[in-house]
Amino acid sequence: MALALASALVWGTSDFNGGIATRRSQPTYVLAVSSFSGLLVLVVVALVLREPLPGWRSAMWAGLSGFFGILGLAALYRGLAAGHM
């Protein structure tokens, strides 16, 4: 339950901060910084927990979901930058 609450807190905070950041900067820049920082955190956690590498099918699905997730975030940030909330 604690991880679920932490996840909800981080997700909500990142959406709020992403909306504010896109009004001050380019949405593409905000998306690049947020995606890179998220990837960095995931890699560090995976290394610390010594997670094994996923199989190629899992990696393919993860890559596709990440790609479409980035497209969705780009649309969200563009809307937030335009002021449509």
Side-chain angles (χ1 to χ4, degrees):
M1 179 142 164
L3 289 177
L5 290 174
S7 175
L9 177 67
V10 169
W11 188 268
T13 303
S14 67
D15 277 349
F16 178 77
N17 289 333
I20 291 175
T22 55
R23 290 187 179 189
R24 296 181 181 154
S25 185
Q26 293 291 327
T28 308
Y29 176 73
V30 174
L31 182 61
V33 169
S34 65
S35 295
F36 179 73
S37 62
L39 178 64
L40 184 64
V41 169
L42 286 175
V43 168
V44 168
V45 169
L47 289 173
V48 168
L49 296 178
R50 298 180 186 187
E51 288 291 321
L53 291 174
W56 69 271
R57 283 188 181 179
S58 295
M60 179 191 66
W61 285 112
L64 283 173
S65 66
F67 173 75
F68 286 111
I70 286 175
L71 288 179
L73 277 176
L76 172 71
Y77 287 163
R78 182 180 170 124
L80 291 174
H84 303 293
M85 294 183 215

